[in-house]
Amino acid sequence: MTSSRNIPFGRPWITDADREAVMEVLQGHILTHGPQGQAFEKEFAAFTGDQAHCVTVSSGMAALHLAYLHFGIGAGDEVIVPAQTHVATVHAVEWVGAQPVFADCDGATGNLTAAGVAAAISPRTKAISVVHFNGIPCSMAEIMAVAEPRGLKVIEDCALAVGARYQGKHVGLWGDAGCFSFYPVKHITTGEGGMFITRHQEVAQSVAKLRAFGVDRSYGERTIPGIYDVPILGLNYRMSEMQAALGRVQLGRVKEILARRRVNFDTLKKGLFGIPGLTSLDSQLPEAQNSHYCLSLVLDRAGREQRDAVVARLNAAGVGTSIYYPHPVPRLAYYRGKYGYDAGRFPQAVRISDQSIALPVGPHLTEADIEYIIENFQAALGGTTI
């Protein structure tokens, strides 16, 4: 196949309004700890739900790290984590000194299941890390039914899940904390950045101090400028005013962004429906609302080399792709070296890592792009046994 166009997997949607918002901040003198960050927190809380209390942070992983620090998870504790996720999900557990305990995922969604979580619980378990894989909501009512009677904290990784809801409630508001990422190819972007959300005001207030060195008084709370105390060990995980201003304008378009993604996802999935041996990861629950981050397709009877060959043909045709994720986390060198690796424990995570292809559905795609992707995906399969 010869490329006749270039369709990136992800591309930030930046408008003149985005640029003007950032420039307006730069024309002022407050670049951090200012009104843009505070307004972004309030607006994101309004978008996610009435129960939300939000704290801007420097990244999604920063939000995860702060969650474990706040809840006192550390050495000697275990946290149940998905084997199929981005490494940041697990790094946050490692950085507080706790031990990740990997659980396999559901083959139709890529998500943790309540049964898988229950099977991984030990006397040392203190928390469950729930990832809404590719924006597909987990069965949160079932997971909370496992966690709450045992007093386990539930940290929701919502990095790909802006707009995802379960039983009408936005993900991130089921557990004790929700952690969002605003990396450039996410639903909305601040360049780098993220948001910590929780149903509990006191948790948000504590995390807000943790992300800013542990200082006890913000600039606006100081009677004498420059006078404060530091009663706790904190970090610098702040978001700048430029990032927050960009995030606010992006959030103002989020309904349109989500609508475009939904249409592109549905059109692409329908256009590839019926190909033997091809499975699309998607929500299996009527009460779950997918955020449509990408369309992840599993080549059910193809190995990694065959999958990679299909990817190469698509890329040669100008179709951007990705893989979510290239390895189950316990197979990555750091975790394999520290904890060992047994592929037989994570068959579905291995299947998704080695046999899936993620196709773009972002708002940068046109109808013609979707048609082109469908045509070239079919052609890229060629004689591959999938």
Side-chain angles (χ1 to χ4, degrees):
M1 291 178 287
T2 302
S3 175
S4 61
R5 67 174 75 192
N6 177 32
I7 304 173
F9 174 78
R11 174 181 287 167
W13 182 16
I14 304 297
T15 67
D16 286 343
D18 293 309
R19 298 181 186 94
E20 289 167 5
V22 173
M23 288 304 299
E24 185 175 345
V25 172
L26 291 173
Q27 289 166 0
H29 63 280
I30 300 175
L31 302 186
T32 191
H33 280 312
Q36 294 293 332
Q38 294 169 10
F40 190 24
E41 290 170 346
K42 291 178 182 177
E43 290 162 9
F44 198 79
F47 167 70
T48 48
D50 293 339
Q51 292 181 309
H53 300 276
C54 297
V55 181
T56 56
V57 291
S58 57
S59 71
M61 182 175 166
L64 290 164
H65 190 195
L66 289 165
Y68 293 116
L69 287 172
H70 169 78
F71 290 117
I73 309 297
D77 297 334
E78 292 180 353
V79 179
I80 298 169
V81 298
Q84 182 55 257
T85 186
H86 189 277
V87 70
T89 309
V90 191
H91 276 358
V93 175
E94 281 282 297
W95 274 113
V96 296
Q99 180 175 338
V101 175
F102 296 101
D104 201 12
C105 62
D106 171 64
T109 63
N111 281 332
L112 281 182
T113 66
V117 168
I121 292 173
S122 82
R124 294 172 56 195
T125 304
K126 293 295 189 296
I128 304 164
S129 175
V130 175
V131 177
H132 302 286
F133 188 72
N134 287 346
I136 302 169
C138 292
S139 299
M140 289 306 302
E142 295 179 6
I143 290 173
M144 295 306 296
V146 172
E148 288 180 330
R150 297 170 172 82
L152 302 178
K153 298 299 182 184
V154 175
I155 311 302
E156 296 181 66
D157 185 331
C158 310
L160 305 181
V162 168
R165 296 177 183 271
Y166 176 78
Q167 294 183 358
K169 183 187 295 186
H170 202 290
V171 297
L173 293 174
W174 281 87
D176 297 280
C179 304
F180 292 80
S181 169
F182 304 137
Y183 187 71
V185 296
K186 303 297 173 61
H187 295 78
I188 64 172
T189 186
T190 56
E192 284 280 6
M195 191 75 77
F196 175 99
I197 78 171
T198 177
R199 292 174 286 125
H200 311 291
Q201 185 176 15
E202 68 279 9
V203 173
Q205 290 171 339
S206 172
V207 166
K209 289 181 169 58
L210 271 175
R211 60 101 194 246
F213 303 106
V215 169
D216 66 342
R217 280 164 282 177
S218 68
Y219 290 107
E221 295 170 333
R222 297 173 191 174
T223 304
I224 302 174
I227 300 297
Y228 58 83
D229 200 356
V230 181
I232 58 173
L233 181 65
L235 295 152
N236 181 8
Y237 280 162
R238 296 172 296 181
M239 175 183 284
S240 75
E241 285 287 275
M242 293 80 76
Q243 291 171 300
L246 175 58
R248 291 182 65 197
V249 182
Q250 293 263 312
L251 187 62
R253 294 200 304 277
V254 72
K255 290 183 179 179
E256 181 181 358
I257 290 169
L258 292 170
R260 288 194 188 190
R261 284 183 172 273
R262 182 179 65 253
V263 169
N264 290 342
F265 181 98
D266 291 343
T267 304
L268 192 55
K269 181 179 176 181
K270 182 178 179 181
L272 296 172
F273 178 78
I275 296 177
L278 191 67
T279 299
S280 59
L281 301 185
D282 198 358
S283 176
Q284 307 298 301
L285 304 170
E287 65 269 32
Q289 181 179 331
N290 191 339
S291 74
H292 305 106
Y293 175 71
C294 66
L295 178 63
S296 193
L297 299 166
V298 181
L299 313 182
D300 287 326
R301 294 189 294 275
R304 198 186 327 180
E305 290 185 4
Q306 293 170 301
R307 187 275 310 276
D308 291 351
V310 174
V311 167
R313 294 180 199 126
L314 284 168
N315 295 165
V319 176
T321 62
S322 192
I323 297 170
Y324 285 84
Y325 288 94
H327 298 277
V329 174
R331 194 170 72 186
L332 293 167
Y334 172 84
Y335 290 97
R336 184 176 68 245
K338 185 170 183 178
Y339 299 110
Y341 173 66
D342 177 3
R345 292 180 54 204
F346 317 109
Q348 294 303 326
V350 171
R351 168 179 165 267
I352 292 171
S353 287
D354 292 351
Q355 298 171 231
S356 72
I357 301 171
L359 297 178
V361 301
H364 62 289
L365 300 181
T366 65
E367 290 183 18
D369 289 334
I370 296 294
E371 293 174 3
Y372 185 83
I373 293 170
I374 292 169
E375 175 186 340
N376 282 274
F377 188 88
Q378 293 170 333
L381 292 177
T384 301
T385 301
I386 63 170

